[in-house]
């Protein structure tokens, strides 16, 4: 009887699979990405590498010495002081202390400051506070500091914002109204993001992170690209654009940037526009399917990200987190899965950072 | 990287594939990615060249601990007298030949009262 | 045009979101004396299925899905003239949807609501941040076949478990099937709380809802 190996499912639970079954899942996952993204699947040596990772009995695996990459941190200190169901561990630290803990105790290469709402719009009325927290952080830390938040165009639609909600309008077939609301939201979001980021640059900020871009669809992505463009013209901020999902959801469907329709773009196409807008780092996302094995999911994620790395001229820091980048949808991620995903992204996709 | 508890996400990734922050040369390599959009191999080669060490040494704590102390660019443990915070960043900017915004702001402050 | 050609043309008209063509073909079908139910199921619905597949693959987008569904509705309106009275009011099923109280994420749930309407469901979308008692009241009021709840946060997904209990307390649990979804929700969670269905994405949610509704109608 063939030997069986423990492989996790996309929700984190273990199943047992033979080497042949694992390999079949790897191929199927990679070919799914290749088919959807119209990109090349992995080759035999890459399947062999992934198979070795999954059949390796070690609890934690790592890249060879000298292959390490830079880590950037979405969500920032919220993972320490957060206590609102956001994977935070609820330690009552100041954000300055949280950043220092990451720098000195977790050996973070970079760190991120963010507000508990974690969207750009609500930062606008409290920008003076955010500026001063950032000033203090910049005085007492060494690593590059990002300020991170989500474009979150949802906050510009009813009931949170001034414009009609496409999620309400579209089911009523009010397509023109839904599209107009999104176009108006883009204008307002760009203005807010540029305002806030410029204030952060003024007090010495190194970089900003547009996190979970595209969460509200193609308008969300368009707003981010225009904000990047304006900020690169007017400030020296380094800018990371991280995505929300593997393809741009077409809530509008017709929005374009520099002549390219945004809806439906996969990571290797997204990065070209992010690069054109002037951003410095791109964070592609590939979602985890909880009903599939991690062999299927990781091979699929690596296939998409490898194509993105090859298409890019700027550093790629792949999004690795709960339910993305070949990690299970589980809030306290199993370290065997996380470390395997790390190694696969570095050794096969050749990412510049995580 | 993003959502997940600290042990499960940043620490696990750090152990598996991270540069090592100010234990090693992680912050320096990150600076070059931010300042000049350098891909990882280019950024590592650039920093290694500046430090006159091999690329592999960049993430070797035994090599980098001594270099960081010698260059006074900040170390991870508490050592009296070693450059802290913006002091270390000012020296890093000089070492790498890049501008760091907060350091530039400090220079402006030192040259006269400003409120920018 | 024979029956097979008309079916294929009807499907193609929906994929192309060509309402004028879809309506014209519906008229032709009646003139040819074709079975309207067959034309709907094997022609227009097949087109809508193709649109759904393209949507799931990111090749067509929500507004286009809606335009295609409008074309289908217009064609079905014509074909209904040839249907017996009992068939005219038939829906695929009745669904109550909402995002659990405390959770304001509504894009995914909105897409599911839209697609269910497209596939002929009578949908009662309660919106976001919906008190659990409102789900129960709407199920009771509408005689829904399915109640779908969405949660995108670990703090709100527990409301899906409470909803199961509230439906039991109201004596409704054996009359309605429950479906759960949202970024943090998994099949394991659905099994744990006793929900009847879970889906990875909107398209799968619709397929499962169709299967569940068919089972309930016997």
């Amino acid at each position: 009887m063939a030997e069986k190996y423990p492989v996790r499912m996309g929700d984190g639970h273990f199943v047992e699979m033979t080497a042949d079954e694992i390999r079949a899942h790897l191929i199927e996952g990679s070919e799914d990405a290749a088919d959807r993204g119209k990109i090349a699947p992995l080759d035999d040596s890459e399947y062999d590498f992934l198979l070795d990772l999954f059949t390796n009995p070690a609890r934690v695996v790592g890249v060879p010495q000298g292959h390490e990459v830079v880590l950037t941190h979405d969500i920032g200190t919220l993972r320490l002081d957060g206590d609102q169901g956001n994977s935070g561990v609820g330690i009552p630290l100041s954000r300055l202390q949280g950043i220092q803990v990451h720098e000195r105790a977790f050996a973070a290469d970079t760190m991120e400051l963010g507000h508990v709402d974690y969207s750009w719009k609500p930062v606008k009325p409290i920008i003076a506070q955010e500026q001063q927290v950032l000033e203090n952080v910049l005085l007492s830390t060494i690593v590059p500091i990002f300020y991170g938040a989500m474009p979150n165009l949802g906050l510009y639609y009813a009931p949170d914002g001034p414009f009609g909600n496409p999620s309400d309008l579209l089911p009523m077939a009010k397509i023109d109204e839904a599209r107009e609301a999104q176009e108006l939201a883009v204008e307002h979001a760009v203005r807010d993001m540029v305002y806030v980021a410029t204030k952060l640059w003024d007090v010495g900020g190194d970089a900003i992170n547009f996190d979970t871009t595209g969460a509200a669809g193609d308008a969300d992505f368009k707003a981010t690209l225009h904000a990047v463009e304006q900020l690169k013209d007017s400030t020296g901020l380094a800018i990371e654009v991280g995505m929300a999902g593997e393809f741009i959801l077409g809530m509008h469907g017709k929005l374009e940037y520099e002549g390219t329709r945004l809806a439906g773009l996969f990571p290797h196409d997204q990065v070209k526009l992010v690069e054109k807008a002037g951003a410095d780092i791109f964070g592609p996302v590939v979602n985890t399917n909880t009903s599939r094995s991690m062999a299927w999911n990781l091979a699929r994620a690596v296939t998409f990200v490898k194509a993105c790395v090859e298409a890019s001229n700027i550093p790629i820091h792949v999004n690795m987190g709960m339910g993305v980048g070949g990690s299970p949808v589980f809030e306290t991620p199993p370290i065997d899965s996380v470390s395997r995903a790390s190694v696969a992204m570095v050794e096969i996709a050749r990412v510049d950072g995580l | 990287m993003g959502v997940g508890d600290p042990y499960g996400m940043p620490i696990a990734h750090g152990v598996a594939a991270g540069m090592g922050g100010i234990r090693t040369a992680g912050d320096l390599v990150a600076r070059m990615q931010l300042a000049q959009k350098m891909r990882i191999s280019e950024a590592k080669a650039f920093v290694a060249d500046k430090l006159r060490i091999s690329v592999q040494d960049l993430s070797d704590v035994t090599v980098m601990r001594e270099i960081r102390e010698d260059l006074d660019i900040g170390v991870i443990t508490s050592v009296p007298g070693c450059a802290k915070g913006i002091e270390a960043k000012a020296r890093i900017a000089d070492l790498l030949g890049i501008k760091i915004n907060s350091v530039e702001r400090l220079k402006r402050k030192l040259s006269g009262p400003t409120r920018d | 045009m024979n029956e097979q050609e008309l079916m294929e043309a009807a499907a193609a008209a929906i994929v192309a979101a060509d309402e004028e063509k879809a309506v014209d073909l519906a008229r032709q079908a009646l003139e040819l004396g074709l079975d309207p139910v067959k034309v709907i199921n094997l022609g227009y619905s097949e087109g809508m299925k193709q649109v759904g597949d393209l949507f799931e693959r990111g090749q067509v987008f929500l507004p286009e899905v809606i335009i295609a569904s409008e074309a289908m509705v217009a064609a079905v309106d014509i074909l209904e003239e040839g249907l017996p009275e009992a068939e005219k009011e038939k829906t695929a099923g009745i669904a109550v949807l909402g995002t659990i109280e405390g959770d304001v994420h509504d894009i995914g749930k909105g897409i599911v609501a839209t697609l269910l309407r497209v596939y002929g469901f009578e949908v009662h979308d309660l919106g976001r941040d919906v008190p659990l008692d409102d789900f129960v009241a709407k199920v009771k009021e509408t005689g829904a076949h399915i109640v779908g709840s969405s949660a995108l946060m670990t703090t709100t997904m527990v409301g899906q478990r409470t909803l199961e209990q509230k439906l039991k307390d109201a004596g409704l649990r054996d009359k309605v099937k429950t479906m759960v979804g949202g970024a943090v929700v998994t099949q394991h969670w659905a099994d744990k709380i006793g929900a009847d269905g879970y889906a990875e994405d909107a398209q799968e949610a619709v397929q499962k809802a169709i299967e569940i509704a068919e089972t309930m109608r016997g």
Side-chain angles (χ1 to χ4, degrees):
Chain A
M1 194 182 216
E3 188 177 355
K4 291 202 167 189
Y5 301 91
V7 176
R8 292 187 190 272
M9 293 296 289
D11 66 359
H13 287 81
F14 271 127
V15 289
E16 289 204 317
M17 296 168 70
T18 64
D20 285 348
E21 287 167 340
I22 296 171
R23 194 178 182 86
H25 282 217
L26 293 170
I27 293 170
E28 200 188 323
S30 178
E31 287 183 347
D32 185 70
D35 179 40
R36 286 168 190 266
K38 298 181 177 55
I39 52 179
L42 301 179
D43 63 30
D44 282 345
S45 66
E46 291 163 333
Y47 291 131
D48 290 344
F49 183 93
L50 289 172
L51 182 59
D52 284 347
L53 273 183
F54 281 104
T55 55
N56 183 336
R59 192 170 78 121
V60 174
V61 295
V63 300
Q65 291 200 7
H67 288 208
E68 298 85 353
V69 295
V70 169
L71 307 187
T72 40
H73 296 253
D74 299 338
I75 204 176
T77 62
L78 297 178
R79 64 163 67 99
L80 291 180
D81 62 326
D83 51 8
Q84 52 172 3
N86 55 0
S87 307
V89 289
I91 303 170
L93 294 170
S94 73
R95 289 184 285 167
L96 168 60
Q97 290 168 325
I99 288 176
Q100 288 173 326
V101 167
H102 275 81
E103 180 179 88
R104 315 275 168 82
F106 297 174
D109 300 314
T110 65
M111 197 39 203
E112 179 180 294
L113 176 68
H115 184 258
V116 67
D117 275 349
Y118 208 54
S119 296
W120 290 99
K121 185 184 171 193
V123 177
K124 197 172 183 181
I126 57 158
I127 184 60
Q129 174 172 346
E130 297 307 275
Q131 284 178 297
Q132 290 173 88
V133 175
L134 182 60
E135 284 174 322
N136 280 322
V137 168
L138 291 167
L139 284 172
S140 55
T141 57
I142 299 171
V143 299
I145 303 296
F146 287 77
Y147 188 93
M150 303 185 294
N152 196 359
L153 256 65
L155 293 181
Y156 296 86
Y157 306 133
D160 298 313
F163 307 117
N165 193 326
S167 288
D168 297 331
L169 295 168
L170 285 172
M172 292 189 284
K174 294 184 176 177
I175 292 165
D176 290 344
E177 290 91 331
R179 283 182 166 149
E180 190 189 358
Q182 293 175 74
E183 288 157 20
L184 291 166
V186 168
E187 286 175 32
H188 280 66
V190 171
R191 201 180 68 180
D192 290 347
M193 291 190 283
V194 169
Y195 177 89
V196 170
T198 303
K199 292 285 183 187
L200 298 167
W201 166 253
D202 289 344
V203 296
D206 289 307
I208 56 169
N209 176 20
F210 290 108
D211 192 8
T212 57
T213 295
D218 41 356
D220 208 292
F221 190 40
K222 183 176 173 68
T224 305
L225 294 171
H226 287 293
V228 170
E229 197 179 83
Q230 289 186 27
L231 287 165
K232 291 307 285 188
D233 276 348
S234 59
T235 73
L237 282 165
I239 301 178
E240 176 168 354
V241 174
M243 301 307 294
E246 64 197 33
F247 74 89
I248 306 289
L249 191 62
M251 291 295 284
H252 184 292
K254 287 186 174 173
L255 292 175
E256 293 184 353
Y257 180 76
E258 297 278 319
T260 302
R261 183 154 92 154
L262 302 178
L265 294 182
F266 281 97
H268 55 287
D269 295 319
Q270 295 161 11
V271 70
K272 302 309 292 179
L273 299 185
V274 168
E275 202 177 306
K276 200 178 270 186
D280 302 270
I281 296 176
F282 179 60
V285 161
V286 182
N287 304 96
T288 296
N289 184 321
T290 61
S291 306
R292 301 281 194 161
S293 72
M294 286 316 301
W296 186 91
N297 278 297
L298 186 55
R300 185 174 182 277
V302 167
T303 304
F304 270 125
V305 175
K306 184 183 173 207
C308 178
V309 170
E310 287 170 356
S312 177
N313 293 304
I314 59 174
I316 299 297
H317 286 206
V318 59
N319 268 273
M320 311 286 282
M322 173 184 170
V324 296
S327 293
V329 181
F330 201 72
E331 205 177 17
T332 45
I335 57 175
D336 49 290
S337 279
V338 170
S339 64
R340 279 162 177 77
S342 263
V343 171
M345 286 297 174
V346 173
E347 295 299 315
I348 299 179
R350 305 280 175 199
V351 296
D352 304 280
L354 309 173
Chain B
M1 93 201 69
V3 174
D5 69 303
Y7 183 83
M9 199 49 68
I11 293 175
H13 281 304
V15 169
M19 287 288 306
I22 60 172
R23 289 182 95 223
T24 57
D27 60 322
L28 309 180
V29 175
R31 287 270 172 214
M32 296 319 299
Q33 289 199 332
L34 296 183
Q36 294 182 21
K37 305 181 198 235
M38 285 184 179
R39 306 301 290 265
I40 187 70
S41 52
E42 190 189 358
K44 282 180 169 179
F46 180 91
V47 175
D49 185 53
K50 289 283 180 190
L51 299 177
R52 295 165 194 258
I53 57 175
S54 72
V55 165
Q56 189 152 331
D57 286 342
L58 291 173
S59 44
D60 183 342
V61 73
T62 63
V63 173
M64 281 308 302
R65 171 65 193 242
E66 198 173 323
I67 287 178
R68 292 195 81 109
E69 280 204 38
D70 290 349
L71 295 175
D72 200 14
I73 55 172
V75 292
I76 197 161
T77 56
S78 54
V79 178
C82 268
K84 307 283 193 302
I86 200 153
E87 298 168 351
K89 281 194 290 195
R91 297 184 59 75
I92 289 167
D94 283 346
L95 172 71
L96 299 177
I98 58 171
K99 287 192 172 174
I100 295 177
N101 192 23
S102 53
V103 173
E104 294 300 307
R105 181 171 184 254
L106 176 64
K107 287 181 190 168
R108 288 198 297 277
K109 288 278 181 200
L110 293 173
S111 65
T114 62
R115 272 194 66 193
D116 52 13
Chain C
M1 190 180 282
N2 65 28
E3 185 182 51
Q4 184 58 32
E5 286 166 348
L6 190 135
M7 300 288 192
E8 286 168 11
I14 298 304
V15 174
D18 186 340
E19 184 171 332
E20 200 177 323
K21 180 84 177 165
V23 165
D24 181 49
L25 288 164
R27 291 206 176 97
Q28 286 186 47
L30 290 181
E31 283 163 16
L32 290 168
L34 302 180
D35 175 1
V37 175
K38 198 172 171 188
V39 175
I40 292 170
N41 289 340
L42 301 180
Y44 295 103
S45 293
E46 178 54 32
M48 213 54 237
K49 185 177 173 302
Q50 289 175 32
V51 171
D53 290 344
L54 290 168
F55 174 77
E56 193 265 330
R57 295 175 63 82
Q59 291 173 10
V60 302
F61 311 107
L62 205 52
E64 292 159 331
V65 173
I66 292 161
I67 294 168
S69 76
E70 293 288 294
M72 174 148 170
V73 167
V76 171
D77 279 350
I78 302 290
L79 289 167
E80 276 190 343
E81 291 165 20
L83 284 176
E85 280 305 313
E87 291 284 328
K88 286 185 183 174
E89 298 303 317
K90 241 184 187 176
T91 64
I94 302 170
V96 170
L97 297 183
T99 305
I100 297 286
E101 186 169 28
D103 201 325
V104 297
H105 297 88
D106 61 0
I107 289 178
K109 182 267 304 163
I111 293 171
V112 173
T114 302
L115 293 183
L116 284 175
R117 282 197 182 99
V118 164
Y119 281 87
F121 277 80
E122 177 185 321
V123 178
H124 300 271
D125 184 353
L126 303 176
R128 62 185 204 162
D129 192 17
V130 180
L132 300 182
D133 289 337
D134 289 8
F135 282 95
V136 177
K138 188 56 86 173
V139 168
K140 197 170 191 177
E141 177 196 324
T142 60
H145 300 101
I146 294 167
V147 55
S149 62
S150 173
L152 273 86
M153 302 193 296
T154 51
T155 46
T156 55
M157 66 191 279
V158 290
Q160 294 175 325
R161 176 163 51 195
T162 313
L163 179 59
E164 293 284 329
Q165 189 58 47
K166 281 186 176 283
L167 289 166
K168 281 180 197 155
D169 294 345
L172 294 167
R173 187 61 187 87
D174 57 350
K175 299 185 179 74
V176 67
K177 297 289 184 188
T178 55
M179 291 184 68
V180 291
V184 296
V185 176
T186 62
Q187 181 65 54
H188 179 74
W189 172 249
D191 294 343
K192 188 173 173 181
I193 67 173
D196 299 303
Y198 159 79
E200 289 283 341
D201 54 41
Q203 188 63 19
E204 191 186 350
V206 171
Q207 291 309 323
K208 289 204 171 167
I210 290 168
E211 288 164 20
I212 287 172
E214 278 172 0
T215 314
M216 291 184 78
R217 286 202 308 267

